Amino acid sequence: MGDPRAPMVLFAGQSHPSLAEDIAGHVGVKLGDILVHNLSSTETEVKLQESIRGKEVFIIQSGSKRVNNDVFELLTMVYACKTSSARKIVAVIPYLPYSKQCRMRRRACITSKLLAKLMCNAGINHLITMDLHQREIHGFFDCSVDNLRSSPFLLQYILDNIPNYRECVMVAKHPSSTRRVSSYAERLRVNFAVVHGELKEEEEREVDGRTSPPPTPIQIGNGTLPIVAPATFACSFPTPIPRYQQKIKPSLSLVGSVKGKIAIMLDDIIDDIEPWCLLAGFLKEQGAQKVYAMAPHGILSGNALELINSSSSLDQVVITNTVPLSNGLAISPKIHVVDVSKMFAEAIRRIHNGESMSALFTNITED
């Protein structure tokens, strides 16, 4: 009998063609022939230019600044492969869009769960991604998920490009990222510090209305619209603390020391660069010699290029190539991009050959 494995095909969307080419080069195959474009009405059209019946299809599509277009383009490509009788469809999404919207806040929705359901319903059988914002996102998908780690590549960058890396201190921008930072510090055998008092707006637990004051009568003309009296309860409840008392931010402080050290701020996503620049200035005031900003995913939205180049406190920004950069950001001398395409290529090879993925996580603690 012949090889029972199905033939492999790699397709790439329009979000990050250079990364797709690098991955295909490491795998040792050419990208499949597929036509993905936008019509004059801005609708997305996908046409397969080759037969994929009975084949194992890998679709490479990352998130970029055209996030909604990228998402729908991916869904259309997956559905086109499903209706063309592909044996298995594996989505390779280096940066999963909407991953930060994974908690219920106020009267919003958990958008990352919605995206997961859309992907699974479109036909995804397996997902390969990197450094999810929260590990709980795994549970949103009704298919297998492999969450790769960029930490080996970022740690290697520190070893290769910071000669006196033993003198560095890993810094958590906020207490919620302490686990990731301590993991890096343990492997480098250096100290770590935590910035306290800088609350990220998107991570705050906003008031959802359940502690709102009681309603007041509504004035209509010369009269008043009556309101229904609230129900009485047999037991009493504590009086809610007003929001202005709950959300008073403590003064900015640093748990740990960076005096005379190289401070490396670490998080999973760099989107708005302004808070990073402000914290870099704070660390310089605390005596840091140099300040690095490091994260797997560098979205760098808004006027990030101008802020990075003009900042006298932020010395370098280190990111991976999971998200495409504009031409200006790509040539900035203060931005260094680490290539992680080999990790995705090895994951694709192992999945296609039916090999264990655990080797990719050996000696890697949870980041």
Side-chain angles (χ1 to χ4, degrees), residues 19-57:
L19 177 61
E21 290 284 353
D22 292 340
I23 294 174
H26 292 306
V27 174
V29 300
K30 293 183 178 180
L31 291 174
D33 193 3
I34 186 172
L35 176 63
V36 183
H37 70 286
N38 296 101
L39 303 175
S40 58
S41 60
T42 71
E43 293 180 358
T44 300
E45 184 179 44
V46 173
K47 291 182 179 180
L48 301 176
Q49 305 295 313
E50 61 181 276
S51 174
I52 60 170
R53 181 177 295 275
K55 296 182 180 180
E56 189 173 22
V57 178

mmCIF file of all heavy atoms in Angstrom, residues 19-57:
data_model
loop_
_atom_site.group_PDB
_atom_site.id
_atom_site.type_symbol
_atom_site.label_atom_id
_atom_site.label_comp_id
_atom_site.label_asym_id
_atom_site.label_seq_id
_atom_site.Cartn_x
_atom_site.Cartn_y
_atom_site.Cartn_z
ATOM 1 N N LEU A 19 5.437 36.505 5.217
ATOM 2 C CA LEU A 19 5.535 35.433 6.206
ATOM 3 C C LEU A 19 5.105 34.102 5.604
ATOM 4 O O LEU A 19 5.720 33.058 5.867
ATOM 5 C CB LEU A 19 4.662 35.767 7.424
ATOM 6 C CG LEU A 19 4.612 34.702 8.523
ATOM 7 C CD1 LEU A 19 5.991 34.441 9.097
ATOM 8 C CD2 LEU A 19 3.637 35.115 9.632
ATOM 9 N N ALA A 20 4.060 34.126 4.777
ATOM 10 C CA ALA A 20 3.610 32.896 4.126
ATOM 11 C C ALA A 20 4.691 32.323 3.222
ATOM 12 O O ALA A 20 4.914 31.097 3.188
ATOM 13 C CB ALA A 20 2.335 33.174 3.326
ATOM 14 N N GLU A 21 5.395 33.172 2.502
ATOM 15 C CA GLU A 21 6.486 32.708 1.642
ATOM 16 C C GLU A 21 7.611 32.092 2.470
ATOM 17 O O GLU A 21 8.186 31.060 2.094
ATOM 18 C CB GLU A 21 7.023 33.872 0.805
ATOM 19 C CG GLU A 21 6.076 34.369 -0.278
ATOM 20 C CD GLU A 21 6.038 33.434 -1.486
ATOM 21 O OE1 GLU A 21 6.851 32.473 -1.519
ATOM 22 O OE2 GLU A 21 5.218 33.666 -2.382
ATOM 23 N N ASP A 22 7.928 32.711 3.601
ATOM 24 C CA ASP A 22 8.986 32.174 4.462
ATOM 25 C C ASP A 22 8.597 30.808 5.022
ATOM 26 O O ASP A 22 9.423 29.885 5.072
ATOM 27 C CB ASP A 22 9.273 33.148 5.604
ATOM 28 C CG ASP A 22 9.915 34.440 5.125
ATOM 29 O OD1 ASP A 22 10.466 34.441 4.007
ATOM 30 O OD2 ASP A 22 9.863 35.445 5.862
ATOM 31 N N ILE A 23 7.346 30.674 5.453
ATOM 32 C CA ILE A 23 6.888 29.402 6.001
ATOM 33 C C ILE A 23 6.937 28.316 4.935
ATOM 34 O O ILE A 23 7.420 27.203 5.166
ATOM 35 C CB ILE A 23 5.466 29.544 6.580
ATOM 36 C CG1 ILE A 23 5.480 30.465 7.799
ATOM 37 C CG2 ILE A 23 4.899 28.187 6.959
ATOM 38 C CD1 ILE A 23 4.098 30.772 8.351
ATOM 39 N N ALA A 24 6.439 28.647 3.749
ATOM 40 C CA ALA A 24 6.449 27.670 2.657
ATOM 41 C C ALA A 24 7.875 27.276 2.295
ATOM 42 O O ALA A 24 8.153 26.105 1.992
ATOM 43 C CB ALA A 24 5.730 28.248 1.445
ATOM 44 N N GLY A 25 8.800 28.231 2.340
ATOM 45 C CA GLY A 25 10.197 27.915 2.036
ATOM 46 C C GLY A 25 10.798 26.946 3.041
ATOM 47 O O GLY A 25 11.542 26.035 2.670
ATOM 48 N N HIS A 26 10.474 27.131 4.318
ATOM 49 C CA HIS A 26 10.999 26.221 5.342
ATOM 50 C C HIS A 26 10.341 24.844 5.251
ATOM 51 O O HIS A 26 10.993 23.831 5.533
ATOM 52 C CB HIS A 26 10.779 26.815 6.731
ATOM 53 C CG HIS A 26 11.594 28.035 7.017
ATOM 54 N ND1 HIS A 26 12.969 28.061 6.872
ATOM 55 C CD2 HIS A 26 11.238 29.276 7.443
ATOM 56 C CE1 HIS A 26 13.425 29.265 7.188
ATOM 57 N NE2 HIS A 26 12.390 30.021 7.545
ATOM 58 N N VAL A 27 9.065 24.818 4.871
ATOM 59 C CA VAL A 27 8.388 23.525 4.714
ATOM 60 C C VAL A 27 8.932 22.784 3.497
ATOM 61 O O VAL A 27 8.983 21.544 3.475
ATOM 62 C CB VAL A 27 6.857 23.721 4.601
ATOM 63 C CG1 VAL A 27 6.152 22.403 4.303
ATOM 64 C CG2 VAL A 27 6.307 24.325 5.885
ATOM 65 N N GLY A 28 9.349 23.544 2.482
ATOM 66 C CA GLY A 28 9.885 22.938 1.266
ATOM 67 C C GLY A 28 8.851 22.716 0.186
ATOM 68 O O GLY A 28 9.034 21.836 -0.661
ATOM 69 N N VAL A 29 7.782 23.500 0.206
ATOM 70 C CA VAL A 29 6.749 23.404 -0.827
ATOM 71 C C VAL A 29 6.447 24.804 -1.347
ATOM 72 O O VAL A 29 6.797 25.810 -0.721
ATOM 73 C CB VAL A 29 5.463 22.751 -0.277
ATOM 74 C CG1 VAL A 29 5.729 21.348 0.220
ATOM 75 C CG2 VAL A 29 4.849 23.608 0.825
ATOM 76 N N LYS A 30 5.792 24.849 -2.493
ATOM 77 C CA LYS A 30 5.345 26.122 -3.045
ATOM 78 C C LYS A 30 3.926 26.417 -2.586
ATOM 79 O O LYS A 30 3.146 25.503 -2.328
ATOM 80 C CB LYS A 30 5.392 26.092 -4.573
ATOM 81 C CG LYS A 30 6.803 26.011 -5.152
ATOM 82 C CD LYS A 30 6.757 26.064 -6.676
ATOM 83 C CE LYS A 30 8.158 26.039 -7.274
ATOM 84 N NZ LYS A 30 8.121 26.103 -8.766
ATOM 85 N N LEU A 31 3.619 27.694 -2.482
ATOM 86 C CA LEU A 31 2.264 28.078 -2.117
ATOM 87 C C LEU A 31 1.287 27.660 -3.212
ATOM 88 O O LEU A 31 1.600 27.738 -4.408
ATOM 89 C CB LEU A 31 2.174 29.592 -1.885
ATOM 90 C CG LEU A 31 2.893 30.127 -0.639
ATOM 91 C CD1 LEU A 31 2.843 31.651 -0.616
ATOM 92 C CD2 LEU A 31 2.265 29.556 0.625
ATOM 93 N N GLY A 32 0.111 27.203 -2.811
ATOM 94 C CA GLY A 32 -0.893 26.764 -3.760
ATOM 95 C C GLY A 32 -1.437 27.907 -4.594
ATOM 96 O O GLY A 32 -1.310 29.086 -4.250
ATOM 97 N N ASP A 33 -2.057 27.552 -5.689
ATOM 98 C CA ASP A 33 -2.597 28.537 -6.631
ATOM 99 C C ASP A 33 -4.023 28.879 -6.232
ATOM 100 O O ASP A 33 -4.946 28.069 -6.384
ATOM 101 C CB ASP A 33 -2.553 27.975 -8.050
ATOM 102 C CG ASP A 33 -2.810 29.049 -9.102
ATOM 103 O OD1 ASP A 33 -2.955 30.224 -8.715
ATOM 104 O OD2 ASP A 33 -2.875 28.704 -10.297
ATOM 105 N N ILE A 34 -4.206 30.077 -5.694
ATOM 106 C CA ILE A 34 -5.516 30.534 -5.271
ATOM 107 C C ILE A 34 -5.641 32.015 -5.593
ATOM 108 O O ILE A 34 -4.678 32.776 -5.480
ATOM 109 C CB ILE A 34 -5.722 30.281 -3.753
ATOM 110 C CG1 ILE A 34 -7.157 30.617 -3.335
ATOM 111 C CG2 ILE A 34 -4.715 31.047 -2.927
ATOM 112 C CD1 ILE A 34 -7.478 30.216 -1.892
ATOM 113 N N LEU A 35 -6.815 32.420 -6.006
ATOM 114 C CA LEU A 35 -7.083 33.814 -6.341
ATOM 115 C C LEU A 35 -7.945 34.424 -5.244
ATOM 116 O O LEU A 35 -9.073 33.991 -5.007
ATOM 117 C CB LEU A 35 -7.797 33.918 -7.689
ATOM 118 C CG LEU A 35 -8.214 35.321 -8.123
ATOM 119 C CD1 LEU A 35 -6.990 36.218 -8.315
ATOM 120 C CD2 LEU A 35 -9.037 35.271 -9.416
ATOM 121 N N VAL A 36 -7.367 35.399 -4.541
ATOM 122 C CA VAL A 36 -8.088 36.108 -3.479
ATOM 123 C C VAL A 36 -8.011 37.592 -3.792
ATOM 124 O O VAL A 36 -6.918 38.165 -3.871
ATOM 125 C CB VAL A 36 -7.469 35.827 -2.093
ATOM 126 C CG1 VAL A 36 -8.281 36.526 -1.007
ATOM 127 C CG2 VAL A 36 -7.397 34.332 -1.825
ATOM 128 N N HIS A 37 -9.149 38.212 -3.993
ATOM 129 C CA HIS A 37 -9.153 39.644 -4.302
ATOM 130 C C HIS A 37 -10.478 40.266 -3.881
ATOM 131 O O HIS A 37 -11.443 39.561 -3.550
ATOM 132 C CB HIS A 37 -8.899 39.867 -5.793
ATOM 133 C CG HIS A 37 -10.032 39.432 -6.672
ATOM 134 N ND1 HIS A 37 -10.311 38.100 -6.919
ATOM 135 C CD2 HIS A 37 -10.978 40.141 -7.346
ATOM 136 C CE1 HIS A 37 -11.355 38.008 -7.717
ATOM 137 N NE2 HIS A 37 -11.786 39.231 -7.987
ATOM 138 N N ASN A 38 -10.481 41.590 -3.908
ATOM 139 C CA ASN A 38 -11.683 42.348 -3.570
ATOM 140 C C ASN A 38 -12.294 42.914 -4.839
ATOM 141 O O ASN A 38 -11.604 43.496 -5.679
ATOM 142 C CB ASN A 38 -11.362 43.484 -2.599
ATOM 143 C CG ASN A 38 -10.864 42.978 -1.253
ATOM 144 O OD1 ASN A 38 -9.673 42.984 -0.988
ATOM 145 N ND2 ASN A 38 -11.781 42.550 -0.412
ATOM 146 N N LEU A 39 -13.603 42.731 -4.966
ATOM 147 C CA LEU A 39 -14.321 43.287 -6.100
ATOM 148 C C LEU A 39 -14.468 44.795 -5.945
ATOM 149 O O LEU A 39 -14.138 45.371 -4.900
ATOM 150 C CB LEU A 39 -15.703 42.621 -6.198
ATOM 151 C CG LEU A 39 -15.717 41.089 -6.326
ATOM 152 C CD1 LEU A 39 -17.146 40.571 -6.293
ATOM 153 C CD2 LEU A 39 -15.002 40.650 -7.590
ATOM 154 N N SER A 40 -14.963 45.431 -6.985
ATOM 155 C CA SER A 40 -15.153 46.876 -6.928
ATOM 156 C C SER A 40 -16.125 47.285 -5.828
ATOM 157 O O SER A 40 -16.072 48.398 -5.313
ATOM 158 C CB SER A 40 -15.652 47.390 -8.285
ATOM 159 O OG SER A 40 -16.873 46.735 -8.645
ATOM 160 N N SER A 41 -16.996 46.368 -5.443
ATOM 161 C CA SER A 41 -17.947 46.629 -4.356
ATOM 162 C C SER A 41 -17.338 46.336 -2.991
ATOM 163 O O SER A 41 -18.061 46.366 -1.990
ATOM 164 C CB SER A 41 -19.192 45.768 -4.546
ATOM 165 O OG SER A 41 -18.862 44.388 -4.540
ATOM 166 N N THR A 42 -16.041 46.036 -2.943
ATOM 167 C CA THR A 42 -15.264 45.680 -1.748
ATOM 168 C C THR A 42 -15.606 44.300 -1.221
ATOM 169 O O THR A 42 -15.096 43.901 -0.162
ATOM 170 C CB THR A 42 -15.425 46.716 -0.607
ATOM 171 O OG1 THR A 42 -16.738 46.620 -0.060
ATOM 172 C CG2 THR A 42 -15.158 48.124 -1.096
ATOM 173 N N GLU A 43 -16.444 43.542 -1.926
ATOM 174 C CA GLU A 43 -16.701 42.166 -1.516
ATOM 175 C C GLU A 43 -15.468 41.303 -1.789
ATOM 176 O O GLU A 43 -14.706 41.549 -2.716
ATOM 177 C CB GLU A 43 -17.898 41.595 -2.269
ATOM 178 C CG GLU A 43 -19.225 42.256 -1.932
ATOM 179 C CD GLU A 43 -20.380 41.643 -2.712
ATOM 180 O OE1 GLU A 43 -20.117 40.743 -3.533
ATOM 181 O OE2 GLU A 43 -21.527 42.072 -2.501
ATOM 182 N N THR A 44 -15.283 40.274 -0.960
ATOM 183 C CA THR A 44 -14.149 39.358 -1.100
ATOM 184 C C THR A 44 -14.540 38.183 -1.985
ATOM 185 O O THR A 44 -15.594 37.575 -1.790
ATOM 186 C CB THR A 44 -13.695 38.844 0.273
ATOM 187 O OG1 THR A 44 -13.289 39.954 1.087
ATOM 188 C CG2 THR A 44 -12.533 37.872 0.132
ATOM 189 N N GLU A 45 -13.685 37.876 -2.942
ATOM 190 C CA GLU A 45 -13.922 36.741 -3.821
ATOM 191 C C GLU A 45 -12.724 35.800 -3.769
ATOM 192 O O GLU A 45 -11.575 36.240 -3.835
ATOM 193 C CB GLU A 45 -14.162 37.193 -5.263
ATOM 194 C CG GLU A 45 -14.523 36.038 -6.199
ATOM 195 C CD GLU A 45 -14.790 36.510 -7.619
ATOM 196 O OE1 GLU A 45 -14.010 37.336 -8.127
ATOM 197 O OE2 GLU A 45 -15.780 36.042 -8.211
ATOM 198 N N VAL A 46 -13.003 34.513 -3.631
ATOM 199 C CA VAL A 46 -11.956 33.492 -3.564
ATOM 200 C C VAL A 46 -12.221 32.454 -4.638
ATOM 201 O O VAL A 46 -13.335 31.928 -4.746
ATOM 202 C CB VAL A 46 -11.919 32.827 -2.172
ATOM 203 C CG1 VAL A 46 -10.944 31.660 -2.168
ATOM 204 C CG2 VAL A 46 -11.536 33.843 -1.106
ATOM 205 N N LYS A 47 -11.181 32.136 -5.429
ATOM 206 C CA LYS A 47 -11.287 31.106 -6.462
ATOM 207 C C LYS A 47 -10.077 30.188 -6.366
ATOM 208 O O LYS A 47 -8.928 30.641 -6.451
ATOM 209 C CB LYS A 47 -11.340 31.733 -7.862
ATOM 210 C CG LYS A 47 -12.618 32.511 -8.156
ATOM 211 C CD LYS A 47 -12.607 33.044 -9.582
ATOM 212 C CE LYS A 47 -13.886 33.806 -9.909
ATOM 213 N NZ LYS A 47 -13.873 34.328 -11.303
ATOM 214 N N LEU A 48 -10.330 28.916 -6.158
ATOM 215 C CA LEU A 48 -9.252 27.926 -6.154
ATOM 216 C C LEU A 48 -8.849 27.628 -7.589
ATOM 217 O O LEU A 48 -9.693 27.327 -8.432
ATOM 218 C CB LEU A 48 -9.707 26.653 -5.445
ATOM 219 C CG LEU A 48 -10.154 26.804 -3.984
ATOM 220 C CD1 LEU A 48 -10.665 25.483 -3.451
ATOM 221 C CD2 LEU A 48 -9.011 27.322 -3.118
ATOM 222 N N GLN A 49 -7.546 27.679 -7.850
ATOM 223 C CA GLN A 49 -7.036 27.460 -9.187
ATOM 224 C C GLN A 49 -6.481 26.049 -9.377
ATOM 225 O O GLN A 49 -5.881 25.751 -10.403
ATOM 226 C CB GLN A 49 -5.942 28.484 -9.503
ATOM 227 C CG GLN A 49 -6.371 29.935 -9.318
ATOM 228 C CD GLN A 49 -7.456 30.348 -10.294
ATOM 229 O OE1 GLN A 49 -7.372 30.080 -11.490
ATOM 230 N NE2 GLN A 49 -8.490 31.014 -9.792
ATOM 231 N N GLU A 50 -6.688 25.186 -8.381
ATOM 232 C CA GLU A 50 -6.229 23.803 -8.473
ATOM 233 C C GLU A 50 -7.144 22.927 -7.632
ATOM 234 O O GLU A 50 -7.861 23.413 -6.751
ATOM 235 C CB GLU A 50 -4.785 23.678 -7.983
ATOM 236 C CG GLU A 50 -4.575 24.083 -6.532
ATOM 237 C CD GLU A 50 -3.133 23.959 -6.097
ATOM 238 O OE1 GLU A 50 -2.739 22.824 -5.727
ATOM 239 O OE2 GLU A 50 -2.411 24.972 -6.132
ATOM 240 N N SER A 51 -7.131 21.642 -7.915
ATOM 241 C CA SER A 51 -7.983 20.707 -7.187
ATOM 242 C C SER A 51 -7.378 20.395 -5.822
ATOM 243 O O SER A 51 -6.172 20.150 -5.693
ATOM 244 C CB SER A 51 -8.141 19.405 -7.982
ATOM 245 O OG SER A 51 -8.854 18.445 -7.220
ATOM 246 N N ILE A 52 -8.213 20.395 -4.794
ATOM 247 C CA ILE A 52 -7.758 20.056 -3.435
ATOM 248 C C ILE A 52 -8.568 18.886 -2.884
ATOM 249 O O ILE A 52 -8.554 18.639 -1.673
ATOM 250 C CB ILE A 52 -7.879 21.268 -2.503
ATOM 251 C CG1 ILE A 52 -9.329 21.745 -2.419
ATOM 252 C CG2 ILE A 52 -6.953 22.395 -2.938
ATOM 253 C CD1 ILE A 52 -9.571 22.775 -1.341
ATOM 254 N N ARG A 53 -9.280 18.186 -3.715
ATOM 255 C CA ARG A 53 -10.104 17.068 -3.257
ATOM 256 C C ARG A 53 -9.247 16.020 -2.548
ATOM 257 O O ARG A 53 -8.264 15.519 -3.083
ATOM 258 C CB ARG A 53 -10.821 16.424 -4.445
ATOM 259 C CG ARG A 53 -11.744 15.254 -4.067
ATOM 260 C CD ARG A 53 -12.465 14.729 -5.273
ATOM 261 N NE ARG A 53 -13.382 15.728 -5.826
ATOM 262 C CZ ARG A 53 -14.627 15.921 -5.400
ATOM 263 N NH1 ARG A 53 -15.110 15.170 -4.421
ATOM 264 N NH2 ARG A 53 -15.375 16.848 -5.972
ATOM 265 N N GLY A 54 -9.621 15.707 -1.314
ATOM 266 C CA GLY A 54 -8.913 14.706 -0.538
ATOM 267 C C GLY A 54 -7.565 15.144 -0.006
ATOM 268 O O GLY A 54 -6.808 14.329 0.528
ATOM 269 N N LYS A 55 -7.233 16.431 -0.094
ATOM 270 C CA LYS A 55 -5.925 16.912 0.346
ATOM 271 C C LYS A 55 -6.020 17.600 1.713
ATOM 272 O O LYS A 55 -7.088 18.011 2.148
ATOM 273 C CB LYS A 55 -5.341 17.889 -0.685
ATOM 274 C CG LYS A 55 -5.045 17.264 -2.032
ATOM 275 C CD LYS A 55 -4.417 18.262 -2.987
ATOM 276 C CE LYS A 55 -4.119 17.623 -4.347
ATOM 277 N NZ LYS A 55 -3.507 18.593 -5.297
ATOM 278 N N GLU A 56 -4.869 17.711 2.356
ATOM 279 C CA GLU A 56 -4.765 18.416 3.639
ATOM 280 C C GLU A 56 -4.346 19.855 3.348
ATOM 281 O O GLU A 56 -3.248 20.094 2.825
ATOM 282 C CB GLU A 56 -3.750 17.724 4.548
ATOM 283 C CG GLU A 56 -3.746 18.249 5.964
ATOM 284 C CD GLU A 56 -2.858 17.421 6.881
ATOM 285 O OE1 GLU A 56 -1.959 16.736 6.353
ATOM 286 O OE2 GLU A 56 -3.070 17.453 8.105
ATOM 287 N N VAL A 57 -5.196 20.794 3.683
ATOM 288 C CA VAL A 57 -4.991 22.187 3.304
ATOM 289 C C VAL A 57 -4.586 23.008 4.528
ATOM 290 O O VAL A 57 -5.230 22.932 5.581
ATOM 291 C CB VAL A 57 -6.267 22.785 2.685
ATOM 292 C CG1 VAL A 57 -6.057 24.249 2.326
ATOM 293 C CG2 VAL A 57 -6.676 21.982 1.446
#
